[in-house]
Coordinates of all heavy atoms in Angstrom, one line a residue:
R155 N 0.5 26.4 -8.7 CA 1.3 27.1 -9.7 C 0.7 27.0 -11.1 O 0.8 27.9 -11.9 CB 2.7 26.4 -9.6 CG 3.7 27.0 -10.8 CD 5.1 26.4 -10.6 NE 5.6 26.8 -9.3 CZ 6.8 26.6 -9.0 NH1 7.7 25.9 -9.8 NH2 7.4 27.0 -7.8
H156 N 0.0 25.8 -11.4 CA -0.5 25.7 -12.7 C -2.0 25.9 -12.9 O -2.6 25.8 -13.8 CB -0.2 24.4 -13.3 CG 1.4 24.2 -13.5 ND1 2.1 24.6 -14.6 CD2 2.3 23.5 -12.7 CE1 3.3 24.3 -14.5 NE2 3.6 23.6 -13.3
G157 N -2.5 26.5 -11.7 CA -3.9 26.9 -11.8 C -5.0 26.1 -12.0 O -6.1 26.2 -12.6
Y158 N -4.7 24.8 -11.5 CA -5.9 23.7 -11.6 C -7.0 24.0 -10.8 O -6.9 24.5 -9.5 CB -5.2 22.4 -11.3 CG -4.3 21.9 -12.4 CD1 -3.0 21.8 -12.4 CD2 -5.0 21.5 -13.6 CE1 -2.2 21.4 -13.4 CE2 -4.1 21.0 -14.7 CZ -2.8 21.0 -14.5 OH -2.0 20.5 -15.7
G159 N -8.2 23.7 -11.2 CA -9.5 24.1 -10.5 C -9.7 23.1 -9.2 O -9.1 22.1 -9.1
H160 N -10.6 23.7 -8.4 CA -10.9 22.9 -7.2 C -11.6 21.6 -7.5 O -11.4 20.5 -6.8 CB -11.8 23.7 -6.3 CG -11.1 25.0 -5.8 ND1 -10.1 24.8 -4.8 CD2 -11.3 26.3 -5.9 CE1 -9.7 26.0 -4.5 NE2 -10.3 26.9 -5.1
T161 N -12.3 21.5 -8.5 CA -13.1 20.2 -8.7 C -12.1 19.3 -9.3 O -12.2 18.0 -8.9 CB -14.2 20.4 -9.9 OG1 -15.1 21.5 -9.4 CG2 -15.1 19.2 -10.0
F162 N -11.1 19.6 -10.0 CA -10.1 18.7 -10.5 C -9.3 18.1 -9.3 O -9.2 16.9 -9.2 CB -9.1 19.4 -11.5 CG -7.8 18.6 -11.7 CD1 -7.8 17.6 -12.5 CD2 -6.7 19.0 -10.9 CE1 -6.5 16.9 -12.8 CE2 -5.5 18.3 -11.0 CZ -5.4 17.3 -12.1
R163 N -8.9 19.1 -8.3 CA -8.2 18.8 -7.2 C -9.1 17.8 -6.2 O -8.6 16.6 -5.9 CB -7.7 19.9 -6.4 CG -6.9 19.6 -5.2 CD -6.7 20.9 -4.4 NE -8.1 21.3 -3.9 CZ -8.3 22.4 -3.2 NH1 -7.3 23.4 -3.1 NH2 -9.5 22.6 -2.7
D164 N -10.3 18.2 -6.0 CA -11.1 17.5 -4.9 C -11.9 16.3 -5.5 O -12.3 15.5 -4.6 CB -12.0 18.6 -4.2 CG -11.2 19.6 -3.6 OD1 -10.0 19.4 -3.2 OD2 -11.8 20.7 -3.4
A165 N -12.3 16.3 -6.6 CA -13.1 15.3 -7.2 C -12.3 14.3 -8.1 O -13.0 13.5 -8.7 CB -14.3 15.8 -7.9
Y166 N -11.1 14.5 -8.3 CA -10.2 13.6 -9.2 C -8.8 13.2 -8.5 O -8.8 12.1 -8.1 CB -10.1 14.2 -10.6 CG -9.0 13.4 -11.4 CD1 -9.2 12.1 -11.9 CD2 -7.7 14.0 -11.8 CE1 -8.2 11.4 -12.6 CE2 -6.8 13.4 -12.4 CZ -7.2 12.0 -12.8 OH -6.1 11.3 -13.6
L167 N -8.1 14.3 -8.6 CA -6.6 14.0 -8.2 C -6.5 13.5 -6.8 O -5.9 12.5 -6.5 CB -5.7 15.2 -8.4 CG -4.2 14.8 -8.6 CD1 -3.9 14.0 -9.9 CD2 -3.3 16.1 -8.7
L168 N -7.0 14.2 -5.8 CA -6.9 13.9 -4.4 C -7.6 12.5 -4.1 O -7.1 11.7 -3.4 CB -7.3 15.0 -3.5 CG -6.5 16.2 -3.5 CD1 -6.9 17.2 -2.4 CD2 -5.0 15.8 -3.2
P169 N -8.7 12.3 -4.6 CA -9.4 11.0 -4.4 C -8.6 9.8 -5.0 O -8.5 8.8 -4.3 CB -10.8 11.2 -5.1 CG -11.1 12.6 -5.0 CD -9.7 13.3 -5.2
M170 N -8.0 10.0 -6.2 CA -7.3 9.0 -6.7 C -6.0 8.7 -5.9 O -5.8 7.6 -5.5 CB -6.8 9.3 -8.1 CG -6.0 8.2 -8.7 SD -5.4 8.8 -10.5 CE -4.2 10.0 -10.1
A171 N -5.3 9.8 -5.4 CA -4.1 9.6 -4.8 C -4.5 9.1 -3.2 O -3.7 8.1 -2.7 CB -3.4 10.9 -4.5
A172 N -5.5 9.5 -2.6 CA -5.9 9.1 -1.3 C -6.2 7.6 -1.4 O -6.0 6.7 -0.3 CB -7.0 9.9 -0.9
A173 N -6.9 7.2 -2.4 CA -7.3 5.8 -2.6 C -6.0 4.8 -2.7 O -5.8 3.8 -2.1 CB -8.2 5.5 -3.8
I174 N -5.0 5.4 -3.5 CA -3.8 4.6 -3.7 C -2.9 4.5 -2.5 O -2.5 3.5 -2.1 CB -3.0 5.2 -4.8 CG1 -3.6 5.1 -6.2 CG2 -1.6 4.7 -4.8 CD1 -3.0 5.9 -7.3
W175 N -2.8 5.6 -1.7 CA -1.9 5.6 -0.5 C -2.5 5.5 0.7 O -1.9 5.5 1.8 CB -1.1 6.9 -0.5 CG 0.2 6.8 -1.5 CD1 1.4 6.1 -1.1 CD2 0.4 7.3 -2.6 NE1 2.2 6.1 -2.2 CE2 1.7 7.0 -3.3 CE3 -0.4 8.0 -3.6 CZ2 2.1 7.3 -4.4 CZ3 0.1 8.4 -4.9 CH2 1.4 8.1 -5.3
S176 N -3.9 5.4 0.7 CA -4.7 5.3 2.0 C -4.3 6.5 2.9 O -4.3 6.3 4.1 CB -4.4 4.0 2.7 OG -4.9 2.9 1.8
S177 N -4.1 7.7 2.4 CA -3.7 8.8 3.2 C -4.7 10.0 3.0 O -5.6 10.0 1.9 CB -2.4 9.4 2.7 OG -1.3 8.4 3.1
S178 N -4.8 10.9 4.1 CA -5.8 11.9 3.9 C -5.4 12.9 2.7 O -4.2 13.0 2.4 CB -5.9 12.7 5.2 OG -4.7 13.4 5.4
P179 N -6.5 13.5 2.2 CA -6.2 14.6 1.1 C -5.1 15.6 1.6 O -4.2 16.0 0.8 CB -7.6 15.2 0.7 CG -8.5 14.0 1.0 CD -7.9 13.4 2.3
S180 N -5.1 16.1 2.9 CA -4.3 17.1 3.4 C -2.8 16.6 3.3 O -1.9 17.3 2.9 CB -4.7 17.6 4.8 OG -4.6 16.5 5.6
D181 N -2.6 15.3 3.7 CA -1.2 14.7 3.6 C -0.8 14.5 2.1 O 0.3 14.7 1.9 CB -1.2 13.4 4.2 CG -1.2 13.5 5.9 OD1 -0.6 14.4 6.2 OD2 -1.8 12.6 6.5
I182 N -1.7 14.1 1.3 CA -1.4 14.1 -0.1 C -0.8 15.3 -0.7 O 0.1 15.2 -1.4 CB -2.6 13.5 -0.9 CG1 -3.1 12.0 -0.5 CG2 -2.4 13.6 -2.4 CD1 -2.1 10.9 -0.9
L183 N -1.4 16.4 -0.4 CA -1.0 17.6 -1.0 C 0.4 18.0 -0.5 O 1.2 18.7 -1.2 CB -2.0 18.9 -0.4 CG -3.3 18.8 -1.0 CD1 -4.2 19.8 -0.4 CD2 -3.2 19.1 -2.5
Q184 N 0.8 17.3 0.6 CA 2.3 17.7 1.1 C 3.3 16.6 0.5 O 4.5 16.7 0.8 CB 2.3 17.6 2.6 CG 1.5 18.6 3.4 CD 1.9 20.0 2.8 OE1 3.2 20.4 2.8 NE2 1.0 20.9 2.6
F185 N 2.9 15.7 -0.4 CA 3.8 14.7 -1.0 C 4.6 15.5 -2.0 O 4.2 16.5 -2.6 CB 3.0 13.8 -1.7 CG 2.4 12.6 -1.1 CD1 2.1 12.7 0.3 CD2 2.1 11.4 -1.8 CE1 1.7 11.5 1.0 CE2 1.5 10.3 -1.0 CZ 1.3 10.4 0.3
P186 N 5.9 15.2 -2.1 CA 6.7 15.8 -3.1 C 6.1 15.5 -4.5 O 5.7 14.4 -4.8 CB 8.0 15.0 -2.9 CG 8.0 14.5 -1.5 CD 6.7 14.2 -1.3
A187 N 6.2 16.5 -5.3 CA 5.4 16.3 -6.6 C 6.2 15.2 -7.4 O 5.5 14.4 -8.2 CB 5.5 17.6 -7.4
T188 N 7.6 15.2 -7.2 CA 8.4 14.2 -7.9 C 7.9 12.7 -7.6 O 7.7 11.9 -8.5 CB 9.8 14.4 -7.7 OG1 10.1 14.3 -6.3 CG2 10.4 15.5 -8.2
T189 N 7.6 12.5 -6.3 CA 7.2 11.2 -5.8 C 5.8 10.9 -6.6 O 5.6 9.7 -7.0 CB 7.1 11.1 -4.3 OG1 8.3 11.3 -3.8 CG2 6.6 9.8 -3.8
F190 N 4.9 11.7 -6.4 CA 3.5 11.5 -7.0 C 3.7 11.3 -8.5 O 3.1 10.3 -8.9 CB 2.6 12.7 -6.6 CG 1.3 12.6 -7.2 CD1 0.3 11.8 -6.7 CD2 0.9 13.2 -8.5 CE1 -0.9 11.6 -6.9 CE2 -0.3 13.0 -9.0 CZ -1.3 12.3 -8.3
L191 N 4.3 12.2 -9.2 CA 4.3 12.1 -10.5 C 5.0 10.9 -11.2 O 4.6 10.2 -12.0 CB 4.8 13.4 -11.2 CG 4.1 14.5 -11.0 CD1 4.9 15.9 -11.3 CD2 2.9 14.5 -12.0
R192 N 6.1 10.5 -10.5 CA 7.0 9.4 -10.9 C 6.1 8.1 -10.7 O 6.2 7.2 -11.6 CB 8.2 9.3 -10.1 CG 9.3 8.3 -10.9 CD 10.6 8.5 -10.0 NE 11.2 9.8 -10.3 CZ 11.6 10.6 -9.4 NH1 11.2 10.3 -8.0 NH2 12.2 11.8 -9.5
F193 N 5.5 8.0 -9.6 CA 4.6 6.8 -9.4 C 3.5 6.7 -10.4 O 3.4 5.6 -10.9 CB 4.0 6.9 -8.0 CG 3.1 5.7 -7.6 CD1 3.7 4.5 -7.1 CD2 1.8 5.7 -7.9 CE1 2.9 3.4 -6.9 CE2 1.0 4.7 -7.6 CZ 1.5 3.6 -7.0

Side-chain angles (χ1 to χ4, degrees):
R155 175 172 297 182
H156 294 281
Y158 285 104
H160 291 293
T161 306
F162 167 81
R163 183 192 66 192
D164 296 337
Y166 167 67
L167 200 66
L168 290 182
M170 179 181 69
I174 292 170
W175 277 282
S176 301
S177 296
S178 69
S180 59
D181 283 326
I182 294 293
L183 288 171
Q184 296 304 312
F185 279 22
T188 51
T189 299
F190 177 84
L191 292 167
R192 194 176 293 119
F193 177 87

